[in-house]
């Protein structure tokens, strides 16, 4: 690799050792060891020089070591200085761990609960619960935008917002073009942040800063999402999600503790509210990325056109990560939805939007090919081809009982009890967010590989 620092400094050769150490090689062959750059999450969010490769960013406040520090500090702190530790686990991470330890999804959820409580957590929740709110808000938002599409501020198509890699790309690369189209509904992770730091903290008679909230996610970019200023409380000086660890980091924690998940005794599952007592994990129809397209499509068909959709039929286009769904009546297209996964398909979608030739009303956008089950933070299997591993993860993810978000126990109660009703100012503040174009800043540093 050569690093070219402009202006006028010539070309410096960099040698990288097997252990990751960097050495600058001078013209006479001498070598000087370089210090590793430390990049904070705020630096990464503010930089417009890349799409976001959070896997290569040194993140000091978003790691399993940071979670371990908090758990360790709790053990020695005075009772009034301890924090209530809450872990929220994504269904995608659970499926990946289930494959690695050859467990079914329910046993995996219960054993993960046992493990986190063994190392000092107080509660372990499932983000499938918070995803109910994200799906319902996405449904309502789409119907509102569709009905008001004559208004330039109600831009169609609506583009999903649950994938932080895609959001970073949109904000940094095509801000003015894309931001009006992006759904304002918070992702399941950030809805869970609102639930834990607002609703649950109140139930525990604690201020938000006395609760430490960590999530387990299939994606490194979820660390960036949690670090957005939009999800930080100035009043209490705390984030909605304090720490994000990937599925792979949970596996590291298990190894460091000398624990095999399969050998742990299962523990009862925790619930956020009494009316939603959890005996088994639940999920949603529509695939491993949350089912946004499918749930919004069904709801819109019924709400806008009085059509009950019993089965959603996907039509693959140029590749398996680009599919569309159409609602027709008497030969007229009423709804035209698509799922676009991976940056190749995203870039094609963006070009169509820029040219005014995008035919869709709604697009489920995910940065990872094959979606969230194939996230960069998921476990790899050195003895198994990636395609076969993904198929196994998809199979176990699909074994979980599904339910419609509006029928999930506790959801309607929380809308009334916590949010003061659907469509309220409070619901808008706690379940929605906004996006910001990032201006490109020239750094004067280019890297040639």
């Amino acid at each position: 690799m050569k690093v070219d620092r402009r202006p006028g400094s010539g070309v410096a050769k960099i040698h990288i050792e097997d252990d990751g150490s960097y050495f600058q090689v001078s013209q006479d062959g001498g070598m000087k060891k370089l210090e590793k750059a430390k990049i904070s999450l705020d630096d990464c969010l503010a930089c417009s020089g890349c799409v976001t490769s959070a896997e290569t960013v040194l993140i000091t406040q978003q790691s399993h070591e940071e979670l371990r520090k908090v758990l360790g500090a709790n053990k020695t702190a005075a009772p009034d200085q301890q924090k209530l530790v809450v872990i929220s686990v994504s269904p995608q991470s659970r499926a990946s761990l289930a494959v690695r330890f050859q467990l079914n999804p329910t046993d995996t959820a219960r054993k993960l609960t046992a493990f986190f409580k063994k190392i000092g957590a107080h509660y372990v929740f499932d983000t499938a619960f918070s995803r109910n709110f994200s799906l319902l808000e996405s449904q309502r938002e789409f119907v509102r935008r569709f009905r008001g599409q004559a208004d330039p501020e109600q831009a169609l198509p609506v583009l999903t917002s649950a994938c932080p890699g895609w959001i970073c790309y949109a904000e940094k690369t095509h801000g003015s073009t894309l931001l009006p189209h992006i759904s304002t509904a918070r992702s399941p992770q950030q809805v869970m942040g609102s639930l834990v730091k607002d609703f649950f903290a109140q139930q525990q008679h604690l201020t938000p800063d006395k609760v430490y909230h960590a999530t387990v996610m299939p994606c490194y970019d979820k660390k960036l999402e949690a670090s957005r200023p939009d999800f930080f409380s100035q009043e209490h000086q705390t984030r909605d999600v304090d720490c994000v660890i990937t599925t792979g980091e949970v596996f590291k924690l298990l190894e460091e503790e000398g624990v095999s998940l399969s050998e742990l005794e299962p523990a009862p599952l925790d619930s956020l509210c009494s009316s939603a007592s959890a005996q088994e994990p639940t999920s949603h129809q529509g695939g491993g990325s949350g089912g946004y397209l499918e749930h919004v499509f069904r709801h819109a068909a019924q709400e806008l056109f009085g059509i009950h959709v019993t089965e959603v039929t996907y039509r693959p286009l140029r590749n398996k990560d680009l599919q569309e769904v159409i609602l027709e009546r008497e030969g007229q297209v009423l709804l035209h939805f698509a799922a676009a996964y991976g940056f190749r398909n995203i870039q094609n979608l963006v070009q169509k939007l820029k040219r005014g030739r995008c035919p869709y009303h709604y697009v489920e956008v995910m940065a990872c090919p094959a979606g969230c089950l194939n996230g960069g933070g998921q476990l790899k299997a050195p003895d198994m081809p990636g395609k076969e591993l993904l198929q196994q993860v998809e199979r176990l993810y699909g074994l979980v009982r599904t339910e419609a978000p509006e029928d999930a126990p506790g959801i309607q109660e929380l809308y009334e009890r916590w949010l003061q009703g659907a469509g309220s100012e409070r619901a808008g503040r706690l379940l929605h967010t906004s996006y910001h174009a990032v201006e490109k800043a020239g750094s004067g540093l280019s890297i040639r590989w």
Side-chain angles (χ1 to χ4, degrees):
M1 182 187 80
K2 291 182 178 180
V3 178
D4 181 7
R5 291 179 176 84
R6 294 192 178 95
S9 61
V11 174
K13 293 182 179 179
I14 303 296
H15 174 75
I16 305 174
E17 293 286 339
D18 291 340
D19 65 359
S21 300
Y22 287 75
F23 290 84
Q24 182 174 326
V25 183
S26 62
Q27 291 184 349
D28 61 4
M31 295 177 69
K32 176 184 176 184
K33 187 172 182 179
L34 301 174
E35 292 293 322
K36 288 185 178 179
K38 290 188 177 182
I39 303 172
S40 73
L41 288 171
D42 287 338
D43 294 332
C44 193
L45 286 167
C47 170
S48 56
C50 66
V51 169
T52 288
S53 179
E55 294 170 68
T56 63
V57 175
L58 180 61
I59 297 171
T60 56
Q61 291 185 332
Q62 297 274 10
S63 65
H64 73 289
E65 287 95 345
E66 185 66 18
L67 174 61
R68 188 185 283 284
K69 281 181 191 174
V70 171
L71 294 172
N74 252 9
K75 291 174 182 175
T76 57
D80 62 337
Q81 296 299 312
Q82 293 176 3
K83 292 200 173 188
L84 186 78
V85 178
V86 176
I87 312 285
S88 299
V89 182
S90 70
Q92 294 90 352
S93 295
R94 184 183 61 226
S96 182
L97 287 160
V99 170
R100 173 57 66 95
F101 290 100
Q102 299 182 332
L103 297 167
N104 66 50
T106 298
D107 282 347
T108 305
R110 289 174 176 167
K111 288 172 183 283
L112 271 175
T113 299
F115 171 66
F116 282 123
K117 290 188 175 181
K118 173 184 168 67
I119 62 174
H122 298 98
Y123 293 91
V124 181
F125 298 133
D126 185 346
T127 62
F129 182 78
S130 56
R131 191 165 67 191
N132 289 306
F133 290 97
S134 189
L135 289 170
L136 288 169
E137 293 301 306
S138 297
Q139 291 173 183
R140 295 187 183 106
E141 179 186 32
F142 175 76
V143 167
R144 185 182 71 251
R145 286 207 198 184
F146 189 91
R147 285 174 170 158
Q149 59 187 291
D151 181 348
E153 293 186 4
Q154 303 292 325
L156 292 181
V158 176
L159 309 176
T160 57
S161 55
C163 171
W166 145 244
I167 293 299
C168 259
Y169 170 76
E171 288 183 321
K172 294 177 180 181
T173 314
H174 304 284
S176 59
T177 301
L178 295 182
L179 297 193
H181 293 274
I182 295 176
S183 168
T184 63
R186 292 194 185 196
S187 71
Q189 171 176 277
Q190 295 311 134
V191 172
M192 186 59 87
S194 292
L195 278 163
V196 168
K197 289 295 182 94
D198 192 271
F199 171 75
F200 191 67
Q202 290 176 27
Q203 301 306 300
Q204 300 296 313
H205 307 291
L206 295 170
T207 54
D209 56 302
K210 294 297 184 181
V211 179
Y212 185 83
H213 181 209
T215 63
V216 177
M217 289 287 143
C219 167
Y220 283 92
D221 286 339
K222 285 290 177 183
K223 297 172 187 276
L224 293 169
E225 180 181 76
S227 299
R228 291 174 69 89
D230 311 81
F231 305 131
F232 181 82
S233 167
Q234 291 292 342
E235 179 185 356
H236 297 285
Q237 291 295 296
T238 186
R239 297 190 189 279
D240 294 344
V241 177
D242 297 289
C243 180
V244 179
I245 60 175
T246 63
T247 317
E249 286 176 295
V250 172
F251 189 74
K252 284 182 186 175
L253 268 176
L254 287 161
E255 286 187 319
E256 289 169 6
E257 292 291 325
V259 171
S260 171
L261 199 63
S262 54
E263 294 172 2
L264 282 172
E265 285 296 316
L269 302 181
D270 292 325
S271 298
L272 267 160
C273 60
S274 57
S275 60
S277 57
Q279 303 301 318
E280 61 177 354
T282 58
S283 191
H284 301 96
Q285 291 181 319
S289 294
Y292 286 85
L293 181 155
E294 192 155 318
H295 285 278
V296 173
F297 186 81
R298 290 176 189 272
H299 177 78
Q302 183 68 52
E303 189 75 12
L304 296 169
F305 304 105
I307 298 174
H308 177 68
V309 176
T310 54
E311 185 175 348
V312 177
T313 303
Y314 292 83
R315 184 168 75 92
L317 299 178
R318 65 180 67 187
N319 56 68
K320 63 183 176 58
D321 280 329
L322 183 62
Q323 301 185 75
E324 66 178 21
V325 176
I326 296 176
L327 180 71
E328 291 183 299
R329 183 165 59 191
E330 298 176 357
Q332 180 188 1
V333 174
L334 303 177
L335 293 174
H336 196 176
F337 282 29
Y341 292 0
F343 275 102
R344 177 175 57 168
N345 291 321
I346 288 174
Q347 286 164 347
N348 287 333
L349 171 69
V350 170
Q351 290 309 311
K352 285 183 179 179
L353 263 173
K354 284 187 166 182
R355 295 169 187 158
R357 296 175 60 186
C358 182
Y360 305 120
H361 297 115
Y362 186 91
V363 187
E364 181 180 294
V365 186
M366 298 290 159
C368 288
C372 299
L373 289 173
N374 191 40
Q378 295 282 71
L379 293 173
K380 307 297 185 286
D383 57 342
M384 186 186 301
K387 186 176 180 181
E388 183 183 338
L389 175 62
L390 179 58
Q391 287 172 344
Q392 288 201 30
V393 175
E394 288 173 340
R395 182 181 66 81
L396 286 179
Y397 180 89
L399 289 180
V400 177
R401 180 176 63 84
T402 61
E403 59 189 3
E406 59 269 22
D407 298 331
I411 298 301
Q412 298 306 329
E413 177 195 343
L414 281 177
Y415 262 111
E416 295 306 318
R417 180 177 157 201
W418 172 48
L419 297 168
Q420 299 165 2
S424 68
E425 180 278 332
R426 185 169 170 78
R429 178 164 48 85
L430 292 171
L431 302 182
H432 290 261
T433 187
S434 57
Y435 308 98
H436 324 280
V438 179
E439 291 186 13
K440 204 170 268 295
S443 64
L445 173 64
S446 66
I447 298 180
R448 298 206 309 260
W449 295 89

